[in-house]
Structure formats: structure tokens, C-alpha cells
Amino acid sequence: DAMVIQNPRYQVTQFGKPVTLSCSQTLNHNVMYWYQQKSSQAPKLLFHYYDKDFNNEADTPDNFQSRRPNTSFCFLDIRSPGLGDAAMYLCATSRGSGGTGELFFGEGSRLTVL
Amino acid sequence: SQQGEEDPQALSIQEGENATMNCSYKTSINNLQWYRQNSGRGLVHLILIRSNEREKHSGRLRVTLDTSKKSSSLLITASRAADTASYFCATVIAAGNKLTFGGGTRVLVKP
């Protein structure tokens, strides 16, 4: 089935040790999003790609970077994770035409920072 | 601050009862969407309602939208234990291409 797949589902890292989370999609959607969700809070948009066009949210820390080498894949790089970066990271896609419609989410990658 | 605020933050009901949760937002929207999230999982889209629509149904779900009050409600009828989850509203602002989520309502349906 077409879907959004995130890897790894669980990631444990040490304070300051870089981490890369990956997302792949078989939906051929134009738009890919990365959200950060801390416990019992709303998902917070970090950035999104419309095709190759990168859109960073104003309050996304510089510590967070993203790459989209092709339509199917998108990566979230956390250069120097701090304790405050422990969260669930959610990747989502949408068709992106005519205004944002339904988002399709992956199952998330839960990051623990020791 | 968040575009959407949800009320109540938590809701506990018996199986078979209806569950209603509300969402308020601040700026004009293109559409409003509701999502469900089971514990530790990703979000699943439930319903999208456009700014020119007032009500939509999907199975046991009913969503209303009042753009004059900048508010929406989600009604789950005849709830089941499997409906236990967090429910989030999310808005797309006019001419925008991103979704902004509210704080969510945690629903517990007791068997």
C-alpha cells in the first residue's frame, strides 16, 4: 500500500551527537513536512518542501536541517541534539495543489536524548 | 501562539455515549481538518471542511464549522473503546499551504 514510512521508529542519542531521521513516501506527493511533537502537545511545524522549494518556519532552531534529494525521500538532521529536542518527529505529505488538503502522516520517530 | 485552541483538553465518557470537542481559531481559513492520534502513533486524517461549508459527516463523525465565530466542533456518536485517542483540529489559512495544529483533546472511552 502507498504510505509514508519513517525510520527509525525509535532513536536514542547522546547529548550533542548528530542524528538523522528519514522519511520516504510512495504517494508521489509534492509536499513533505516535518513536525515536532512533544509530550501531550500539538505537532509543531519545523519546515516543509514544496517540490524542491524549502520553507523554514521562522522559529525553527538552526540546529535542525532538512534535505530532500528526490520526490520520495526527505531527511531531518539534528546537528547537536539537546535534552529539549527529545520529542516525536512526524513526517507528512500532501498533494499540495489548490490549497493544503489532507496530510498523510508516517508513524513517527521518537527521539530520546541522554 | 497556536492558531487553533481546543476544548476540552480531556474528555472521559462511557462507551455508547457521544463525545463533542470544540476548536477555535484566530485568522481566516481556507479549510479546517480534524485528525486522530493513537498513543505513540502518527496522525490519521478524519475530515476536512472547507470555509464555505457548514457541516460534514463521515460515518459516526459530524463536523460543523462556524466561520463567523471562528469555531468548529467534532461530534463522535455512539463512541467505542477504540475511539480512545487524541483528537486535533488543524487549520490552513487563506492562501496558505501549511497546516497548523491546535492543542488537542484527549478522549478516553471506557468500556
Side-chain angles (χ1 to χ4, degrees):
Chain A
D1 288 347
M3 59 179 63
V4 180
I5 301 171
Q6 292 188 241
N7 282 299
R9 288 291 313 279
Y10 302 93
Q11 176 73 58
V12 179
T13 191
Q14 291 182 331
F15 185 95
K17 187 173 182 182
V19 160
T20 295
L21 307 177
S22 74
C23 178
S24 64
Q25 55 128 341
T26 59
L27 298 161
N28 203 33
H29 283 170
N30 297 94
V31 192
M32 294 187 77
Y33 306 82
W34 279 104
Y35 283 87
Q36 179 193 61
Q37 185 181 29
K38 296 188 177 180
S39 182
S40 301
Q41 295 184 21
K44 179 180 178 296
L45 183 63
L46 296 173
F47 24 61
H48 72 280
Y49 279 92
Y50 195 119
D51 292 325
K52 292 185 178 181
D53 183 23
F54 177 71
N55 298 272
N56 197 32
E57 292 301 296
D59 57 354
T60 297
D62 293 339
N63 198 25
F64 292 86
Q65 305 283 315
S66 185
R67 297 169 282 136
R68 190 179 185 185
N70 54 52
T71 300
S72 301
F73 284 88
C74 195
F75 299 95
L76 171 62
D77 300 308
I78 308 176
R79 292 190 297 184
S80 182
L83 297 178
D85 297 326
M88 175 77 92
Y89 291 89
L90 296 162
C91 174
T93 70
S94 73
R95 291 184 182 88
S97 58
T100 297
E102 174 184 355
L103 262 60
F104 295 79
F105 281 85
E107 291 286 22
S109 292
R110 181 168 294 283
L111 177 66
T112 299
V113 182
L114 302 177
Chain B
S1 60
Q2 292 173 170
Q3 161 74 327
E5 298 290 342
E6 295 190 55
D7 171 58
Q9 291 187 341
L11 183 59
S12 179
I13 56 174
Q14 292 293 136
E15 206 165 28
E17 293 180 341
N18 296 342
T20 299
M21 58 211 84
N22 303 295
C23 171
S24 60
Y25 57 91
K26 297 174 183 174
T27 58
S28 295
I29 60 170
N30 176 294
N31 68 69
L32 185 145
Q33 304 179 30
W34 286 91
Y35 288 79
R36 184 186 74 213
Q37 185 179 35
N38 289 84
S39 181
R41 307 292 294 273
L43 282 79
V44 175
H45 180 265
L46 297 175
I47 288 185
L48 181 154
I49 186 164
R50 301 192 187 284
S51 59
N52 61 352
E53 297 175 313
R54 292 296 167 258
E55 187 171 314
K56 285 190 86 168
H57 297 255
S58 176
R60 294 183 294 112
L61 305 180
R62 173 178 169 254
V63 167
T64 62
L65 179 64
D66 187 334
T67 52
S68 67
K69 295 181 179 178
K70 292 187 170 59
S71 68
S72 174
S73 67
L74 170 65
L75 168 67
I76 306 172
T77 60
S79 63
R80 305 168 181 168
D83 294 328
T84 294
S86 291
Y87 292 82
F88 292 90
C89 72
T91 55
V92 179
I93 62 172
N97 64 352
K98 61 183 182 182
L99 211 58
T100 303
F101 284 86
T105 295
R106 294 186 303 281
V107 175
L108 171 64
V109 182
K110 294 179 281 188

